[in-house]
Amino acid sequence: EFAQVWYILKGDFKIDDNLYTPGTMIFHPDPHFEGQFETATGGEILIVQYPGPTTGGRPIYAGRFNMEKRRDIAEERTEL
């Protein structure tokens, strides 16, 4: 139920039927929802999560952003 802002640093990303390229900022209002996400190039996205202004939902960090080292790609969700 949190909100997010994404800033694409590198790579091309297709979300639903829209193509997003470096320099694009994407706002995900609360409650947070992401459409079908694909990339043929890989890339880097700066993600800022914050409590939802209408839901009050808090970001989920445990096991997602507070890791000591990156998980092996086989352990990541790649079907999205």
Side-chain angles (χ1 to χ4, degrees), residues 55-76:
T55 64
R58 308 287 299 173
I60 303 168
Y61 295 109
R64 297 180 70 196
F65 296 104
N66 60 347
M67 299 180 292
E68 291 185 21
K69 67 177 189 170
R70 183 178 177 138
R71 286 184 243 164
D72 185 271
I73 194 70
E75 297 176 38
E76 296 283 355

Side-chain angles (χ1 to χ4, degrees), residues 14 16 28-29 33 40 43 52-53 61 74:
K14 184 177 177 187
D16 292 327
H28 293 282
F33 171 81
Y61 295 109

Side-chain angles (χ1 to χ4, degrees), residues 8 10 12 15-18 23-24 38 41-42 53 59 66 75 80:
I8 298 177
K10 296 180 184 176
D12 297 336
I15 303 173
D16 292 327
D17 292 325
N18 300 305
T24 302
E38 300 175 36
T41 62
N66 60 347
E75 297 176 38
L80 299 176

